[in-house]
Amino acid sequence: CCGAGVDLVAIAGRASAKGIDCDSSLLKLTAANLRSHDRGAALKPANIGEHDLSTFDANTWLHIDPDRRPAGKKTLDAQLFSPPLAPVLQAAMRSRGAIVKLASSTRFNSETAELLAKRSTRLWLGSLGECKQQLLLFGAARASLDGSLIPDIRPEGQAIDASTGENRRYAVIAIPNDGAMDGDIKQLVFASFEAEMNRLQTSLCTSLGPYIFDLHNVLHAADLAQDWASQHDLQAISGRQGFYTADRNWHTPWVQCFKILEELAWDDRKVRKALRRWDAGIVEVKCRLVKLDANYYQRRYSAPNGRALVLLVTRFRERVRCIIAERTL
């Protein structure tokens, strides 16, 4: 599961490490990557199974990225991963510390979900507007959310008690500094948000404020959008996975903010007429809780000259509505 060794190169710079993968051609790439970074690590061609995973104990750390395409087709069902997730989790809980990398929207059965809530901390990592990865943290890795794993994630140096089983989730955004080079973690700034899973009920707004917000996808992936919105006085327009509204602007990497110009029905003739009235030029189309081809409508409604506008299409008061807006600075 070490693949081409991207993570192994980083780990080998901190400790004695071994990379294991069933694909010998990938291990050749791993060896080349280790040499190019002047790092050393043992490499083993093997298919990780229950036997290999049983060797992990309190003296070892485990970092594993299970294969999500064991049959040649990508799956989000954790029960179908290779190696199977059950022995991976058992090995993770025996280890001194463990990080299991998964897709952001991986699906678990109820038994596994309950186990993860008690024995792991789940962290979703995003960059720019995307959610890149979900990490399951166990043992010392779980207790080290004090900045030693990810710089600045807990700036006050507070560590969680790994024995409490607190049901918390973390969303983290990696923000490149000006002039940052690809892959250089020293040139990144990290923002983090934490909350208990599903702590709040979603309350829908009755009227739109002057601003509308599209929350970062990492908050949605971690199911923390409602928690973040509640702490910043935002109200959901049509559900926790949709857009939010408020009376004030927020300048933060956690949201894209838009100033509302007009709200109308999602009707082609009415939309085109309204865009002419607002002297629309390039038109960006964003949608939540409504399925449509955003690229098609961006091409249809955009003009070479005029104001840069945004169409936000969503459900509001049980109808599909279109909100014409401008991005705020």
Side-chain angles (χ1 to χ4, degrees):
C1 294
C2 69
V6 175
D7 295 316
L8 182 62
V9 167
I11 293 170
R14 302 181 59 162
S16 174
K18 176 189 290 186
I20 304 174
D21 200 286
C22 63
D23 191 331
S24 58
S25 59
L26 281 178
L27 288 181
K28 293 179 181 178
L29 293 176
T30 302
N33 283 329
L34 287 166
R35 288 194 301 270
S36 66
H37 290 83
D38 195 25
R39 302 281 170 81
L43 299 178
K44 178 182 178 181
N47 189 341
I48 301 236
E50 293 189 22
H51 173 71
D52 292 295
L53 290 171
S54 67
T55 63
F56 285 88
D57 55 31
N59 296 316
T60 56
W61 287 74
L62 172 65
H63 181 283
I64 186 167
D65 186 357
D67 183 8
R68 301 161 207 168
R69 295 178 174 86
K73 184 177 180 180
K74 184 177 180 180
T75 178
L76 294 176
D77 186 347
Q79 304 306 116
L80 301 179
F81 290 169
S82 177
L85 196 60
V88 169
L89 297 183
Q90 292 300 319
M93 290 185 290
R94 287 194 305 272
S95 302
R96 178 181 176 188
I99 299 178
V100 181
K101 293 178 64 175
L102 301 172
S104 59
S105 54
T106 298
R107 299 188 298 267
F108 306 101
N109 60 30
S110 58
E111 181 180 355
T112 301
E114 183 178 355
L115 175 67
L116 294 179
K118 294 179 178 179
R119 298 294 299 274
S120 75
T121 293
R122 297 172 68 180
L123 183 152
W124 281 257
L125 181 62
S127 178
L128 302 178
E130 298 181 353
C131 183
K132 300 290 189 179
Q133 199 82 59
Q134 176 185 177
L135 306 179
L136 308 180
L137 308 182
F138 294 84
R142 183 185 184 195
S144 295
L145 289 180
D146 57 359
S148 59
L149 290 179
I150 298 179
D152 302 327
I153 184 174
R154 297 178 69 86
E156 298 180 0
Q158 298 174 352
I160 65 171
D161 183 355
S163 66
T164 62
E166 58 180 338
N167 189 8
R168 301 188 72 79
R169 294 184 173 199
Y170 289 78
V172 178
I173 306 175
I175 309 165
N177 284 330
D178 294 338
M181 300 296 290
D182 289 343
D184 187 355
I185 195 170
K186 296 180 181 178
Q187 297 297 319
L188 298 176
V189 176
F190 290 88
S192 66
F193 177 76
E194 61 177 286
E196 292 183 16
M197 182 180 61
N198 299 327
R199 180 180 57 187
L200 298 174
Q201 296 294 321
T202 302
S203 59
L204 302 183
C205 68
T206 56
S207 61
L208 296 177
Y211 297 98
I212 188 169
F213 301 86
D214 189 14
L215 273 61
H216 198 293
N217 280 330
V218 73
L219 289 172
H220 289 293
D223 200 14
L224 294 176
Q226 178 63 29
D227 296 87
W228 193 96
S230 176
Q231 293 188 21
H232 295 80
D233 298 322
L234 274 60
Q235 284 189 299
I237 294 176
S238 51
R240 66 170 59 225
Q241 294 295 324
F243 296 116
Y244 288 76
T245 187
D247 293 330
R248 59 159 292 185
N249 189 4
W250 286 96
H251 297 287
T252 166
W254 292 106
V255 298
Q256 297 178 64
C257 181
F258 309 91
K259 174 71 174 179
I260 296 177
L261 302 177
E262 182 179 346
E263 176 207 341
L264 65 157
W266 177 239
D267 175 88
D268 183 68
R269 181 181 62 82
K270 293 180 180 179
V271 170
R272 285 189 286 111
K273 183 177 180 180
L275 290 175
R276 288 195 297 269
R277 186 167 60 252
W278 288 105
D279 186 29
I282 298 299
V283 176
E284 179 185 3
V285 179
K286 299 175 72 68
C287 60
R288 283 199 179 273
L289 305 181
V290 174
K291 290 185 178 181
L292 58 84
D293 187 343
N295 290 329
Y296 166 79
Y297 287 104
Q298 286 176 177
R299 293 191 300 268
R300 178 173 178 79
Y301 292 141
S302 291
N305 300 303
R307 299 170 67 178
L309 298 178
V310 182
L311 295 184
L312 300 118
V313 185
T314 190
R315 296 188 178 277
F316 182 45
R317 296 173 182 156
E318 300 182 353
R319 294 184 179 182
V320 179
R321 306 291 289 177
C322 173
I323 299 168
I324 301 177
E326 285 184 308
R327 285 185 175 272
T328 64
L329 298 179

